[in-house]
Amino acid sequence: MRLPILPLLLTLFPIFGWTRKIPDINWISSNPIFDVSNTDHVISVHIGDRVSIKCPKSEPNGKYEYSYIYMVSDEEYDHCFLSKPRLVGACDNQTVDASINIVFRSFTPTPGGFEFQPGKNYFLISTSDGTQEGIDRKKDGLCTTKQMKIKFEVEQDRRGIQNPKFAARTLKKDRDAEQSTPVMYVVHDGNDIDDDDDGSNACSYLVSIVFLLASRYLL
């Protein structure tokens, strides 16, 4: 029996609306989110969300806070040291308005991109001490003195759909679809951030699903 296509398609549109731009994170030690008196450094995200980490701007007197940003384990996060870190980005050029954009995707074409899984936590820290000479520090630094650390809590996807790429299969109760959730990061100079990237990917997913449904129910 053929099922009506339109109602099925209408159920898919909310999936593509479930994305949001997390407020920018200013990666500078004076940012209130790093204050020990609050938990603003703990941020809940979902697959499809994106966030920009903004490097500091040079102060009028020429002073600049240098730092490397690493993704680390929970132990490295708790004790402010680097064992097997992954470099996320660098704030090391005071002449460039730089940002590090993290997109929480269910698919990324970038080899070696980070992989986030719903239900798990991911951690960013900086053990640099803020000076150009101390940017390579592997322990303590701003992580200890200024609590410069971020915890991302990746929530379970809305409505229990683990991967929008397989939304059509999920609606057909095929729960055995792949559930890989790689993400990617890109470093920009602040002027070439592609805000339409998520929209174009959503459209690509939608076209693929429409084709899948059409071939399954109309042929």
Side-chain angles (χ1 to χ4, degrees):
M1 183 179 75
R2 292 181 180 178
L3 298 179
I5 292 294
L6 184 58
L8 285 174
L9 290 180
L10 291 177
T11 64
L12 299 180
F13 283 100
I15 296 171
F16 301 103
W18 292 340
T19 63
R20 59 174 176 157
K21 177 69 166 64
I22 307 299
D24 295 342
I25 299 172
N26 294 314
W27 199 260
I28 187 170
S29 59
S30 59
N31 189 336
I33 71 169
F34 298 125
D35 194 302
V36 295
S37 65
N38 63 59
T39 58
D40 292 345
H41 63 286
V42 180
I43 303 173
S44 295
V45 300
H46 290 86
I47 299 301
D49 293 348
R50 55 197 176 98
V51 64
S52 294
I53 300 176
K54 303 288 188 179
C55 289
K57 296 182 179 180
S58 181
E59 298 180 8
N61 60 6
K63 187 177 179 180
Y64 184 81
E65 189 170 272
Y66 293 85
S67 65
Y68 287 143
I69 305 170
Y70 297 97
M71 184 170 291
V72 299
S73 66
D74 56 348
E75 182 180 5
E76 293 168 283
Y77 172 86
D78 289 336
H79 300 288
C80 292
F81 73 97
L82 303 180
S83 176
K84 296 181 180 180
R86 297 182 65 184
L87 182 65
V88 173
C91 295
D92 59 356
N93 190 340
Q94 59 182 316
T95 64
V96 176
D97 185 13
S99 65
I100 297 95
N101 294 336
I102 299 177
V103 182
F104 299 84
R105 298 178 186 269
S106 58
F107 172 78
T108 174
T110 303
F114 294 112
E115 293 186 359
F116 285 29
Q117 297 180 12
K120 293 190 176 182
N121 300 326
Y122 297 86
F123 310 93
L124 302 183
I125 68 172
S126 178
T127 53
S128 307
D129 66 7
T131 67
Q132 191 170 17
E133 297 76 15
I135 196 171
D136 291 312
R137 285 181 63 110
K138 305 299 183 186
K139 185 178 181 181
D140 298 326
L142 294 169
C143 179
T144 298
T145 61
K146 300 295 183 179
Q147 298 295 311
M148 285 189 71
K149 54 175 70 176
I150 293 289
K151 177 181 179 181
F152 290 116
E153 297 179 338
V154 184
E155 302 291 342
Q156 292 291 339
D157 291 341
R158 302 162 179 83
R159 295 191 184 180
I161 296 178
Q162 295 296 318
N163 191 333
K165 182 179 180 181
F166 298 100
R169 297 184 188 178
T170 300
L171 291 172
K172 289 171 60 59
K173 302 184 183 300
D174 181 359
R175 300 293 181 176
D176 297 325
E178 295 176 15
Q179 294 184 5
S180 62
T181 55
V183 299
M184 60 184 247
Y185 69 94
V186 184
V187 180
H188 296 274
D189 63 4
N191 296 318
D192 61 347
I193 297 175
D194 185 3
D195 288 330
D196 295 327
D197 189 51
D198 287 311
S200 62
N201 278 281
C203 289
S204 297
Y205 287 136
L206 184 56
V207 170
S208 298
I209 293 171
V210 169
F211 178 80
L212 174 64
L213 292 174
S215 61
R216 176 62 181 86
Y217 296 106
L218 295 181
L219 296 181

